[in-house]
Amino acid sequence: MILSLEWLKEFTDIGNTGVKEFCDRMTDTGSKVECFEILGEDIVGVKVGRIVSVAKNENSDHLQDCLVDVGGDRNLSIVTGAQNIFEGAIVPVAVAPAILPGDVKIKAGKLRGTLSEGMLCSIGELGLTLHDMPDAIENGILILGEEFADSIGKDIREALMLSDTAVEFEITPNRPDCLSVIGLAREAAVSFDTPLKLHKPVVKGCGDGDSISSYLSVKDNAPDLCPRYTARVVKNVKIEPSPLWMRARLRASGVRPINNIVDITNYVMLEYGQPMHAFDYKCLTGSAITVRRAAEGEKFVSLDSKDHTLNADALVIADDVRAVALAGVMGGENSEITDTTATVVFESANFAGASVRVTAKKQGMRTDASARFEKGLDPENTIPAIERACELVELLGAGDVVEGMIDVYPGKTEPRTIAFNPEKINRFLGTDIDEAFMRKTLTDLEFRFDGSNVLVPSFRNDVEGSADLAEEVIRMKGYNTIESSAICASTTAGTRTPKQRFEMKAEQTLLGLGISEIQTFSFISPKYYDKIGMDSDDARRRSVVISNPLGEDTSVMRTTALPSMMEVVARNQNFNNENCRLYEMATVYLPNENPELLPEEPTSLTVSMYGNCTFYTLKGVIEALTGALGCKVTYSAVKDNPTFHPGRCAALIGPNGEKLGVFGEIHPTVAANYGFQTTVYAAEISVPALFAIAEGVIEYKPLPKYPAVTRDFSAVCDEELEVGSIEASIVAAVKSENKILEGIRIFDVYRGIQVGLGRKSVAFRVTFRADDHTLTQEESDAVSAAILEKLRADLGITLRQ
């Protein structure tokens, strides 16, 4: 929002406050200033003058010698090549030495034998355009009208109202009321403790008995998108340039003047913050305006002559047969104000911000109006704005305002009420601000008091509770007035949750094992599932689809983190990293059966490695990890996982038989998909499942006092029998004898003709130890016999002969 300080002074007097002080104070009170520009400062030494005489230069075919009155003791001699000048013309004169925009310096000197003491100026040399001075010619000297006769000798900046200061504000989205001169004037008045002078528009009307009902009716078929629609009609319109004062204010605010009717709508938008639109009445088919949703595929040509195809989300203003405006964004070319316009319909409406934002974005038509509407404007502002527009019409003599007004407002709401508690505000702020100051500040900001309650003005939708009232008070008091104080409330020491401590322990263990952490994106391509060989009917293919993805490669939320890990490991191989050890604590997203509910987001631990490692290297990492976390797990062979090698893959099994994860060698086909030329290993483990079986506190176990007894068993079994099953049977046998098992270690696996085809011999070393005595020969023999019997009964295993 660009604010003209000259315009601001109409509403509040900031006195002799310098622009720097003004900007600093406004920023301190919440209206952040981005920058300011002193307009006209690049024009120095240019005055209003009258040409006294014009004579042809004797030494040139095109130059003319002029005597010009600039209000001094004598007339200046100026040589010019312009052909549109004449005696008596009032013109801008750069009196040497002078400076023009672009740092053009004007000096006195002789030109073709005649002294030239300055230069007559065109609009371009003053940094102006035909929009700023519509009566000028583009390539000639600017000829001013006789209304400037009393300004001879005055600085041109004063005469043409070029002296102003434009301050650019960065208005936050929650303060659309400050996207107006009145809104910023309200803030400035309270910030500098000066009176706010608001003007109530007065419209006389044409007084001939003509009524708006003879011209127009309005139907609002989308009250959810258009809470209020207000309209008035002006007849006998005279399209002409706006007066200088209006053009100067629009120019200072960064808006290009066009003609009186269009300029009035822009002027009101800047002054009141309410976007308006003017329709050429003769271009409307029928006598009804309908606010409706667009038809799917409806065509619309905007004021900038661009074609648009609308959908049902767009809101349009339509006559009986077509759309004539895109609500809150831009008018249509089919109802544009032209030089032949005789009757005008002024629209001052309120549209839903979200609807305007979506439409403007889809159509690529961001405008000043849409930028305001999308932030949520005050519906109570439509009538003051349209009355001000009609007042300006009468002030400029631009037409006759027809009696009556159409105001469709089906959903008027009551003001928001907030309890006023000064003690609570001071306690919240940590201050001791006087209640009288609070009441004065809020009243000046146009809040009203109703007993012990505060009524929030309709233009302040951002104020919802007591904390917002506190903000209003302290920003005007000054944040720098708050004194530092110690916290007096009771606090508790922050700590991690058991789950956080568990995950941190896991990460510390992996880092200690020489495995580096990575982090990857949670969104992946559906093709990643194919790349790891996932079956087409695998439930994990059902993913959460991103509504507005950056591209197909990031279109779904992952249900497994393994593809992300494989991409990183493959990249390391491509970079010629000979040995790679990586892990990630990754979040995966599992869709809920009910699509209305959010997906589950469990943590999945993925580990991968290649180079100087085997299947048992990875198994050792997992054993070290589960041991450090206090998790008792067993392992079971897996042959049906398409991602892993069928003979070198195992599952982690919990105490109750639950599957915790899977690890092993990546299937050669999958490895080839990633371009691996070496064997690569990976694991994927469910962290919540691992956390559920963690035993928590690790008990201290003293060094043994009594010697151990070891026995070796060489069991012959089928090739398909898992060694883990043999270990489980041994453990069960020892427990049944109420003895203590200290350890089981496999030290040999033999396959050969001696044990038979499809058979293997597995040699175990079993260690027994009692805590309270030395085991006897008889006790050891009894335990060994129990083990052999258990193996024979459960698994049909015999000892190798």
Side-chain angles (χ1 to χ4, degrees):
M1 173 68 190
I2 299 176
L3 174 67
S4 159
L5 291 191
E6 290 298 321
W7 198 346
L8 174 73
K9 291 174 183 177
E10 180 181 322
F11 297 97
T12 188
D13 184 9
I14 58 175
N16 296 322
T17 304
V19 62
K20 182 68 168 62
E21 181 185 351
F22 172 80
C23 295
D24 290 344
R25 178 58 181 161
M26 292 296 286
T27 298
D28 287 343
T29 56
S31 303
K32 182 184 176 185
V33 174
E34 283 289 292
C35 59
F36 66 86
E37 179 184 3
I38 300 176
L39 305 178
E41 68 174 348
D42 54 355
I43 302 176
V44 179
V46 181
K47 297 182 178 182
V48 178
R50 185 188 290 275
I51 299 175
V52 176
S53 66
V54 179
K56 187 177 182 301
N57 187 283
E58 295 179 355
N59 300 316
S60 172
D61 292 335
H62 68 281
L63 295 180
Q64 301 184 84
D65 300 336
C66 305
L67 289 179
V68 183
D69 176 13
V70 291
D73 297 335
R74 63 181 182 83
N75 296 333
L76 299 181
S77 171
I78 295 179
V79 179
T80 179
Q83 302 302 309
N84 67 317
I85 59 173
F86 54 88
E87 289 185 7
I90 301 175
V91 294
V93 184
V95 181
I99 300 175
L100 298 178
D103 199 29
V104 176
K105 294 179 173 60
I106 305 300
K107 299 178 181 180
K110 283 192 174 183
L111 190 61
R112 294 295 179 93
T114 303
L115 176 66
S116 184
E117 300 176 278
M119 185 179 78
L120 307 184
C121 299
S122 67
I123 56 173
E125 288 160 340
L126 294 175
L128 303 175
T129 68
L130 288 175
H131 291 284
D132 302 312
M133 303 300 296
D135 294 329
I137 60 175
E138 192 166 7
N139 297 313
I141 299 303
L142 172 59
I143 307 297
L144 302 174
E146 281 301 317
E147 64 268 22
F148 290 92
D150 295 335
S151 300
I152 302 300
K154 283 187 178 180
D155 192 305
I156 195 68
R157 293 176 298 182
E158 179 185 350
L160 295 185
M161 300 182 182
L162 300 178
S163 294
D164 200 347
T165 301
V167 180
E168 184 174 352
F169 288 84
E170 180 186 332
I171 305 300
T172 53
N174 65 322
R175 291 299 306 274
D177 59 299
C178 288
L179 291 171
S180 65
V181 177
I182 290 177
L184 289 172
R186 184 186 298 113
E187 293 291 310
V190 182
S191 298
F192 292 94
D193 195 21
T194 58
L196 178 65
K197 299 172 286 186
L198 294 180
H199 166 72
K200 185 176 181 180
V202 176
V203 181
K204 299 175 183 178
C206 58
D208 59 1
D210 204 0
S211 172
I212 192 173
S213 59
S214 303
Y215 292 82
L216 198 66
S217 64
V218 174
K219 293 183 290 184
D220 187 357
N221 293 342
D224 56 326
L225 302 183
C226 178
R228 190 173 194 178
Y229 192 95
T230 308
R232 292 205 72 164
V233 173
V234 177
K235 64 181 182 179
N236 301 325
V237 170
K238 306 176 189 68
I239 302 296
E240 56 189 11
S242 300
L244 178 62
W245 62 267
M246 180 175 281
R247 300 199 307 270
R249 286 187 174 181
L250 291 175
R251 181 175 180 270
S253 301
V255 176
R256 185 183 68 181
I258 297 176
N259 60 51
N260 51 2
I261 298 299
V262 175
D263 290 352
I264 284 172
T265 61
N266 287 331
Y267 189 92
V268 172
M269 179 182 70
L270 293 171
E271 188 173 61
Y272 281 76
Q274 172 64 43
M276 293 186 60
H277 187 64
F279 300 101
D280 188 336
Y281 180 74
K282 74 174 182 294
C283 296
L284 299 179
T285 302
S287 59
I289 283 181
T290 303
V291 184
R292 60 171 174 81
R293 285 177 167 83
E296 196 68 36
E298 184 172 355
K299 303 297 182 181
F300 175 75
V301 182
S302 53
L303 276 173
D304 54 4
S305 300
K306 293 183 179 179
D307 295 328
H308 301 273
T309 301
L310 310 179
N311 58 23
D313 294 332
L315 186 70
V316 298
I317 312 302
D319 58 18
D320 287 349
V321 298
R322 60 187 175 174
V324 293
L326 199 53
V329 183
M330 188 181 289
E333 189 177 55
N334 51 25
S335 59
E336 180 182 6
I337 301 298
T338 65
D339 292 342
T340 62
T341 298
T343 304
V344 165
V345 177
F346 276 128
E347 167 195 282
S348 177
N350 185 265
F351 302 114
S355 170
V356 174
R357 170 64 176 162
V358 169
T359 300
K361 185 176 180 181
K362 283 185 177 180
Q363 300 299 330
M365 299 170 62
R366 187 171 176 83
T367 61
D368 285 342
S370 68
R372 284 170 165 79
F373 275 121
E374 68 189 27
K375 293 174 177 61
L377 298 183
D378 176 17
E380 300 297 326
N381 202 25
T382 62
I383 288 183
I386 204 168
E387 291 288 81
R388 175 60 167 158
C390 292
E391 180 185 50
L392 289 170
V393 167
E394 294 182 338
L395 180 64
L396 270 57
D400 299 325
V401 180
V402 173
E403 299 292 339
M405 175 193 303
I406 295 175
D407 184 30
V408 181
Y409 193 13
K412 184 176 176 62
T413 57
E414 294 298 319
R416 184 181 294 117
T417 302
I418 301 174
F420 178 63
N421 188 331
E423 293 78 13
K424 183 178 179 181
I425 291 175
N426 274 322
R427 189 165 59 250
F428 177 75
L429 295 173
T431 58
D432 187 21
I433 300 174
D434 185 62
E435 180 181 345
F437 177 84
M438 294 185 188
R439 287 183 174 271
K440 181 180 185 306
T441 297
L442 293 173
T443 301
D444 290 346
L445 290 170
E446 298 191 28
F447 291 79
R448 292 183 291 123
F449 285 87
D450 181 14
S452 60
N453 293 326
V454 174
L455 301 181
V456 180
S458 58
F459 55 82
R460 291 301 303 274
N461 277 333
D462 59 307
V463 177
E464 298 179 346
S466 178
D468 297 314
L469 294 181
E471 181 185 5
E472 297 301 300
V473 171
I474 195 58
R475 70 186 179 91
M476 292 304 173
K477 183 71 174 177
Y479 290 104
N480 56 348
T481 63
I482 302 177
E483 296 182 1
S484 300
S485 59
I487 297 176
C488 58
S490 59
T491 60
T492 57
T495 184
R496 292 184 174 87
T497 65
K499 182 176 181 294
Q500 288 173 329
R501 290 197 295 270
F502 179 82
E503 291 181 358
M504 179 171 286
K505 177 67 174 177
E507 294 196 57
Q508 290 173 341
T509 302
L510 291 169
L511 290 170
L513 292 168
I515 304 176
S516 301
E517 182 183 14
I518 65 168
Q519 287 186 341
T520 59
F521 290 119
S522 296
F523 33 82
I524 63 173
S525 167
K527 295 178 181 177
Y528 277 23
Y529 297 140
D530 298 326
K531 212 168 179 180
I532 63 169
M534 185 181 289
D535 291 335
S536 59
D537 58 349
D538 195 309
R540 292 176 298 170
R541 282 185 176 270
R542 181 173 171 263
S543 306
V544 176
V545 179
I546 300 174
S547 299
N548 190 20
L550 297 174
E552 195 213 355
D553 289 344
T554 56
S555 59
V556 299
M557 304 301 290
R558 64 187 177 191
T559 58
T560 171
L562 196 56
S564 303
M565 171 62 75
M566 296 304 296
E567 291 286 338
V568 176
V569 176
R571 194 175 303 120
N572 273 266
Q573 181 192 241
N574 293 337
F575 292 161
N576 295 323
N577 187 355
E578 295 181 358
N579 295 285
C580 184
R581 309 282 190 276
L582 301 175
Y583 83 88
E584 180 181 13
M585 281 286 185
T587 302
V588 296
Y589 301 82
L590 307 179
N592 202 295
E593 291 298 328
N594 184 350
E596 299 296 323
L597 299 179
L598 293 174
E600 296 180 20
E601 300 181 21
T603 304
S604 174
L605 171 62
T606 55
V607 181
S608 185
M609 59 180 65
Y610 69 80
N612 195 25
C613 60
T614 66
F615 171 87
Y616 295 103
T617 306
L618 179 57
K619 183 173 183 286
V621 168
I622 293 172
E623 286 178 339
L625 175 66
T626 54
L629 296 175
C631 302
K632 293 182 178 179
V633 300
T634 56
Y635 306 94
S636 176
V638 175
K639 298 183 179 181
D640 58 352
N641 190 320
T643 303
F644 293 91
H645 192 297
R648 299 166 192 169
C649 178
L652 272 73
I653 307 298
N656 300 317
E658 64 274 30
K659 186 176 180 181
L660 309 175
V662 63
F663 68 95
E665 179 184 327
I666 294 297
H667 196 287
T669 302
V670 174
N673 290 340
Y674 289 94
F676 282 109
Q677 301 180 8
T678 184
T679 306
V680 61
Y681 302 91
E684 187 171 27
I685 303 170
S686 169
V687 175
L690 209 58
F691 177 66
I693 65 168
E695 295 184 351
V697 179
I698 299 176
E699 296 182 1
Y700 167 73
K701 186 176 182 181
L703 292 173
K705 297 180 180 180
Y706 301 96
V709 175
T710 61
R711 292 289 174 92
D712 293 345
F713 301 90
S714 183
V716 178
C717 61
D718 291 338
E719 179 67 45
E720 298 298 322
L721 184 63
E722 295 180 5
V723 174
S725 300
I726 303 176
E727 289 186 4
S729 185
I730 293 174
V731 171
V734 177
K735 285 185 176 180
S736 67
E737 291 293 320
N738 198 26
K739 300 297 181 182
I740 295 176
L741 174 66
E742 186 169 273
I744 304 173
R745 183 171 66 88
I746 301 173
F747 64 87
D748 183 57
V749 177
Y750 173 76
R751 298 174 179 86
I753 193 171
Q754 291 88 342
V755 296
L757 187 63
R759 307 275 285 174
K760 64 184 176 182
S761 172
V762 183
F764 292 89
R765 176 159 293 167
V766 183
T767 303
F768 310 111
R769 191 193 304 268
D771 292 336
D772 54 355
H773 67 284
T774 300
L775 292 174
T776 65
Q777 181 74 23
E778 291 77 13
E779 288 177 311
S780 299
D781 290 343
V783 173
S784 298
I787 290 174
L788 294 174
E789 176 58 28
K790 188 70 172 173
L791 292 174
R792 184 195 63 77
D794 291 352
L795 304 174
I797 291 176
T798 59
L799 289 182
R800 181 179 174 187
Q801 300 299 322

